[in-house]
């Protein structure tokens, strides 16, 4: 059973690993362009392991920003992971402390999305499945970042060929995966509006966390759609 679940996780992680590959290569190329060594950019991909935060870090490194501000900015971008961990905590209560450590370290956006979908489909969330899925995302991400650094000079300016659009498309795909959930449109709209306003008046990267918090706040206030539906008349008549 464990072997089958691990293989199932590997299989599920392959499309995500392939989708993230161009963005990993983009990071590696940009990191080399900013003057980072191959060892430094590989270490950053292996320890930070968050594409958007790594890109924010690169921008700040290039402007000689103080270290504490870089850490705080990356925390702002990654604040959504606090929400992710809270959301899946009830599903991994049976994990050991060591297993939970690796679970939360490897908790990136697609990992969260697949964990929630698996739980809602009635399948068990096991550490073996989780690590199988994470393996096909984490290891390629680190290796392809290194390859991007090695071959970055052959790519030229990644923005000139539109590779910088990969990140928005990537996140849009994850968001749309939850489009059938209750109150999807108002929550997404609230997040988008709040993020746009914050970007205008507060600046990047704080708009990411502010938009996320606005969506969470609205979702907490709005009742589930199912609660607003009219009672099943046929069922009521049967009970009468």
């Amino acid at each position: 059973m464990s072997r089958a679940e691990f293989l199932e996780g590997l299989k599920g992680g392959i499309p995500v690993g392939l989708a993230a590959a161009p963005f990993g290569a983009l990071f590696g190329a940009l990191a080399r362009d900013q003057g980072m060594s191959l060892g430094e950019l590989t270490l950053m991909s292996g320890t930070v392991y968050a594409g958007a935060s790594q890109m924010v870090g690169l921008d700040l490194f290039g402007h000689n920003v103080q270290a504490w501000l870089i850490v705080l900015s990356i925390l702002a971008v990654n604040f959504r992971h606090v929400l992710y961990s809270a959301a899946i905590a009830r599903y991994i209560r049976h994990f050991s402390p060591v297993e939970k450590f690796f679970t939360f370290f490897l908790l990136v956006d697609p990992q969260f999305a697949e964990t929630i979908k698996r739980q809602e489909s009635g399948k068990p969330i096991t550490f073996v499945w989780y690590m199988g899925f994470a393996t096909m995302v984490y290891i390629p991400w680190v290796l392809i970042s290194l390859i991007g650094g090695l071959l970055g000079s052959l790519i030229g300016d990644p923005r000139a060929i539109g590779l910088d659009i990969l990140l928005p498309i990537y996140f849009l795909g994850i968001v749309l995966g939850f489009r059938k959930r209750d109150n999807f449109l108002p929550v997404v709209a609230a997040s988008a509006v709040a993020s746009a306003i914050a970007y205008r008046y507060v600046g990047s990267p704080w708009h990411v966390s502010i938009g996320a918090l606005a969506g969470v706040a609205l979702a907490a206030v709005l009742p589930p759609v199912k609660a607003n539906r009219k009672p099943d008349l046929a069922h009521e008549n049967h009970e009468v």
Side-chain angles (χ1 to χ4, degrees), residues 30-42:
L30 292 178
R32 284 293 284 170
D33 189 58
Q34 290 282 359
M36 295 182 70
S37 68
L38 293 175
E40 289 171 339
L41 69 88
T42 304

mmCIF file with all atom_site columns, all heavy atoms in Angstrom, residues 30-42:
data_model
loop_
_atom_site.group_PDB
_atom_site.id
_atom_site.type_symbol
_atom_site.label_atom_id
_atom_site.label_alt_id
_atom_site.label_comp_id
_atom_site.label_asym_id
_atom_site.label_entity_id
_atom_site.label_seq_id
_atom_site.pdbx_PDB_ins_code
_atom_site.Cartn_x
_atom_site.Cartn_y
_atom_site.Cartn_z
_atom_site.occupancy
_atom_site.B_iso_or_equiv
_atom_site.pdbx_formal_charge
_atom_site.auth_seq_id
_atom_site.auth_comp_id
_atom_site.auth_asym_id
_atom_site.auth_atom_id
_atom_site.pdbx_PDB_model_num
ATOM 1  N N   . LEU A 1 30 ? 18.185 34.409 -14.111 1.00 0.00 ? 30 LEU A N   1
ATOM 2  C CA  . LEU A 1 30 ? 18.171 35.750 -13.520 1.00 0.00 ? 30 LEU A CA  1
ATOM 3  C C   . LEU A 1 30 ? 19.135 35.852 -12.342 1.00 0.00 ? 30 LEU A C   1
ATOM 4  O O   . LEU A 1 30 ? 19.764 36.895 -12.124 1.00 0.00 ? 30 LEU A O   1
ATOM 5  C CB  . LEU A 1 30 ? 16.754 36.116 -13.073 1.00 0.00 ? 30 LEU A CB  1
ATOM 6  C CG  . LEU A 1 30 ? 15.726 36.317 -14.186 1.00 0.00 ? 30 LEU A CG  1
ATOM 7  C CD1 . LEU A 1 30 ? 14.355 36.620 -13.594 1.00 0.00 ? 30 LEU A CD1 1
ATOM 8  C CD2 . LEU A 1 30 ? 16.155 37.446 -15.124 1.00 0.00 ? 30 LEU A CD2 1
ATOM 9  N N   . ALA A 1 31 ? 19.237 34.762 -11.574 1.00 0.00 ? 31 ALA A N   1
ATOM 10 C CA  . ALA A 1 31 ? 20.155 34.763 -10.430 1.00 0.00 ? 31 ALA A CA  1
ATOM 11 C C   . ALA A 1 31 ? 21.598 34.917 -10.894 1.00 0.00 ? 31 ALA A C   1
ATOM 12 O O   . ALA A 1 31 ? 22.377 35.674 -10.304 1.00 0.00 ? 31 ALA A O   1
ATOM 13 C CB  . ALA A 1 31 ? 19.977 33.476 -9.623  1.00 0.00 ? 31 ALA A CB  1
ATOM 14 N N   . ARG A 1 32 ? 21.962 34.223 -11.959 1.00 0.00 ? 32 ARG A N   1
ATOM 15 C CA  . ARG A 1 32 ? 23.319 34.371 -12.506 1.00 0.00 ? 32 ARG A CA  1
ATOM 16 C C   . ARG A 1 32 ? 23.536 35.773 -13.050 1.00 0.00 ? 32 ARG A C   1
ATOM 17 O O   . ARG A 1 32 ? 24.610 36.354 -12.894 1.00 0.00 ? 32 ARG A O   1
ATOM 18 C CB  . ARG A 1 32 ? 23.544 33.341 -13.616 1.00 0.00 ? 32 ARG A CB  1
ATOM 19 C CG  . ARG A 1 32 ? 23.771 31.940 -13.121 1.00 0.00 ? 32 ARG A CG  1
ATOM 20 C CD  . ARG A 1 32 ? 25.070 31.799 -12.365 1.00 0.00 ? 32 ARG A CD  1
ATOM 21 N NE  . ARG A 1 32 ? 26.226 31.770 -13.252 1.00 0.00 ? 32 ARG A NE  1
ATOM 22 C CZ  . ARG A 1 32 ? 27.498 31.839 -12.861 1.00 0.00 ? 32 ARG A CZ  1
ATOM 23 N NH1 . ARG A 1 32 ? 27.757 31.987 -11.562 1.00 0.00 ? 32 ARG A NH1 1
ATOM 24 N NH2 . ARG A 1 32 ? 28.478 31.780 -13.711 1.00 0.00 ? 32 ARG A NH2 1
ATOM 25 N N   . ASP A 1 33 ? 22.492 36.323 -13.651 1.00 0.00 ? 33 ASP A N   1
ATOM 26 C CA  . ASP A 1 33 ? 22.590 37.683 -14.181 1.00 0.00 ? 33 ASP A CA  1
ATOM 27 C C   . ASP A 1 33 ? 22.781 38.705 -13.064 1.00 0.00 ? 33 ASP A C   1
ATOM 28 O O   . ASP A 1 33 ? 23.394 39.755 -13.276 1.00 0.00 ? 33 ASP A O   1
ATOM 29 C CB  . ASP A 1 33 ? 21.326 38.013 -14.980 1.00 0.00 ? 33 ASP A CB  1
ATOM 30 C CG  . ASP A 1 33 ? 21.445 39.319 -15.747 1.00 0.00 ? 33 ASP A CG  1
ATOM 31 O OD1 . ASP A 1 33 ? 22.377 39.424 -16.571 1.00 0.00 ? 33 ASP A OD1 1
ATOM 32 O OD2 . ASP A 1 33 ? 20.633 40.228 -15.520 1.00 0.00 ? 33 ASP A OD2 1
ATOM 33 N N   . GLN A 1 34 ? 22.277 38.393 -11.867 1.00 0.00 ? 34 GLN A N   1
ATOM 34 C CA  . GLN A 1 34 ? 22.437 39.268 -10.708 1.00 0.00 ? 34 GLN A CA  1
ATOM 35 C C   . GLN A 1 34 ? 23.776 39.067 -10.006 1.00 0.00 ? 34 GLN A C   1
ATOM 36 O O   . GLN A 1 34 ? 24.082 39.749 -9.029  1.00 0.00 ? 34 GLN A O   1
ATOM 37 C CB  . GLN A 1 34 ? 21.303 39.025 -9.709  1.00 0.00 ? 34 GLN A CB  1
ATOM 38 C CG  . GLN A 1 34 ? 19.946 39.494 -10.170 1.00 0.00 ? 34 GLN A CG  1
ATOM 39 C CD  . GLN A 1 34 ? 19.773 40.998 -10.039 1.00 0.00 ? 34 GLN A CD  1
ATOM 40 O OE1 . GLN A 1 34 ? 20.668 41.701 -9.582  1.00 0.00 ? 34 GLN A OE1 1
ATOM 41 N NE2 . GLN A 1 34 ? 18.622 41.494 -10.461 1.00 0.00 ? 34 GLN A NE2 1
ATOM 42 N N   . GLY A 1 35 ? 24.566 38.110 -10.498 1.00 0.00 ? 35 GLY A N   1
ATOM 43 C CA  . GLY A 1 35 ? 25.894 37.897 -9.938  1.00 0.00 ? 35 GLY A CA  1
ATOM 44 C C   . GLY A 1 35 ? 26.001 36.774 -8.932  1.00 0.00 ? 35 GLY A C   1
ATOM 45 O O   . GLY A 1 35 ? 27.064 36.589 -8.314  1.00 0.00 ? 35 GLY A O   1
ATOM 46 N N   . MET A 1 36 ? 24.936 35.985 -8.740  1.00 0.00 ? 36 MET A N   1
ATOM 47 C CA  . MET A 1 36 ? 25.001 34.867 -7.804  1.00 0.00 ? 36 MET A CA  1
ATOM 48 C C   . MET A 1 36 ? 25.780 33.717 -8.423  1.00 0.00 ? 36 MET A C   1
ATOM 49 O O   . MET A 1 36 ? 25.719 33.485 -9.636  1.00 0.00 ? 36 MET A O   1
ATOM 50 C CB  . MET A 1 36 ? 23.593 34.395 -7.429  1.00 0.00 ? 36 MET A CB  1
ATOM 51 C CG  . MET A 1 36 ? 22.773 35.412 -6.652  1.00 0.00 ? 36 MET A CG  1
ATOM 52 S SD  . MET A 1 36 ? 21.127 34.780 -6.175  1.00 0.00 ? 36 MET A SD  1
ATOM 53 C CE  . MET A 1 36 ? 21.591 33.561 -4.934  1.00 0.00 ? 36 MET A CE  1
ATOM 54 N N   . SER A 1 37 ? 26.513 32.994 -7.572  1.00 0.00 ? 37 SER A N   1
ATOM 55 C CA  . SER A 1 37 ? 27.228 31.815 -8.059  1.00 0.00 ? 37 SER A CA  1
ATOM 56 C C   . SER A 1 37 ? 26.250 30.660 -8.230  1.00 0.00 ? 37 SER A C   1
ATOM 57 O O   . SER A 1 37 ? 25.122 30.694 -7.729  1.00 0.00 ? 37 SER A O   1
ATOM 58 C CB  . SER A 1 37 ? 28.335 31.428 -7.075  1.00 0.00 ? 37 SER A CB  1
ATOM 59 O OG  . SER A 1 37 ? 27.771 30.953 -5.862  1.00 0.00 ? 37 SER A OG  1
ATOM 60 N N   . LEU A 1 38 ? 26.707 29.608 -8.911  1.00 0.00 ? 38 LEU A N   1
ATOM 61 C CA  . LEU A 1 38 ? 25.857 28.427 -9.085  1.00 0.00 ? 38 LEU A CA  1
ATOM 62 C C   . LEU A 1 38 ? 25.509 27.802 -7.748  1.00 0.00 ? 38 LEU A C   1
ATOM 63 O O   . LEU A 1 38 ? 24.386 27.350 -7.527  1.00 0.00 ? 38 LEU A O   1
ATOM 64 C CB  . LEU A 1 38 ? 26.555 27.416 -9.986  1.00 0.00 ? 38 LEU A CB  1
ATOM 65 C CG  . LEU A 1 38 ? 26.757 27.825 -11.450 1.00 0.00 ? 38 LEU A CG  1
ATOM 66 C CD1 . LEU A 1 38 ? 27.569 26.765 -12.188 1.00 0.00 ? 38 LEU A CD1 1
ATOM 67 C CD2 . LEU A 1 38 ? 25.410 28.025 -12.131 1.00 0.00 ? 38 LEU A CD2 1
ATOM 68 N N   . GLY A 1 39 ? 26.482 27.783 -6.837  1.00 0.00 ? 39 GLY A N   1
ATOM 69 C CA  . GLY A 1 39 ? 26.232 27.228 -5.510  1.00 0.00 ? 39 GLY A CA  1
ATOM 70 C C   . GLY A 1 39 ? 25.214 28.046 -4.735  1.00 0.00 ? 39 GLY A C   1
ATOM 71 O O   . GLY A 1 39 ? 24.345 27.489 -4.063  1.00 0.00 ? 39 GLY A O   1
ATOM 72 N N   . GLU A 1 40 ? 25.314 29.363 -4.825  1.00 0.00 ? 40 GLU A N   1
ATOM 73 C CA  . GLU A 1 40 ? 24.391 30.235 -4.094  1.00 0.00 ? 40 GLU A CA  1
ATOM 74 C C   . GLU A 1 40 ? 22.962 30.107 -4.600  1.00 0.00 ? 40 GLU A C   1
ATOM 75 O O   . GLU A 1 40 ? 22.017 30.017 -3.816  1.00 0.00 ? 40 GLU A O   1
ATOM 76 C CB  . GLU A 1 40 ? 24.870 31.686 -4.202  1.00 0.00 ? 40 GLU A CB  1
ATOM 77 C CG  . GLU A 1 40 ? 26.137 31.983 -3.409  1.00 0.00 ? 40 GLU A CG  1
ATOM 78 C CD  . GLU A 1 40 ? 26.713 33.353 -3.700  1.00 0.00 ? 40 GLU A CD  1
ATOM 79 O OE1 . GLU A 1 40 ? 26.381 33.918 -4.779  1.00 0.00 ? 40 GLU A OE1 1
ATOM 80 O OE2 . GLU A 1 40 ? 27.494 33.850 -2.876  1.00 0.00 ? 40 GLU A OE2 1
ATOM 81 N N   . LEU A 1 41 ? 22.785 30.107 -5.910  1.00 0.00 ? 41 LEU A N   1
ATOM 82 C CA  . LEU A 1 41 ? 21.422 30.038 -6.444  1.00 0.00 ? 41 LEU A CA  1
ATOM 83 C C   . LEU A 1 41 ? 20.803 28.665 -6.198  1.00 0.00 ? 41 LEU A C   1
ATOM 84 O O   . LEU A 1 41 ? 19.591 28.556 -5.961  1.00 0.00 ? 41 LEU A O   1
ATOM 85 C CB  . LEU A 1 41 ? 21.400 30.410 -7.927  1.00 0.00 ? 41 LEU A CB  1
ATOM 86 C CG  . LEU A 1 41 ? 22.030 29.470 -8.962  1.00 0.00 ? 41 LEU A CG  1
ATOM 87 C CD1 . LEU A 1 41 ? 21.049 28.429 -9.450  1.00 0.00 ? 41 LEU A CD1 1
ATOM 88 C CD2 . LEU A 1 41 ? 22.544 30.290 -10.161 1.00 0.00 ? 41 LEU A CD2 1
ATOM 89 N N   . THR A 1 42 ? 21.631 27.615 -6.228  1.00 0.00 ? 42 THR A N   1
ATOM 90 C CA  . THR A 1 42 ? 21.120 26.274 -5.940  1.00 0.00 ? 42 THR A CA  1
ATOM 91 C C   . THR A 1 42 ? 20.724 26.149 -4.479  1.00 0.00 ? 42 THR A C   1
ATOM 92 O O   . THR A 1 42 ? 19.682 25.565 -4.143  1.00 0.00 ? 42 THR A O   1
ATOM 93 C CB  . THR A 1 42 ? 22.167 25.209 -6.293  1.00 0.00 ? 42 THR A CB  1
ATOM 94 O OG1 . THR A 1 42 ? 22.563 25.347 -7.670  1.00 0.00 ? 42 THR A OG1 1
ATOM 95 C CG2 . THR A 1 42 ? 21.612 23.807 -6.075  1.00 0.00 ? 42 THR A CG2 1
#
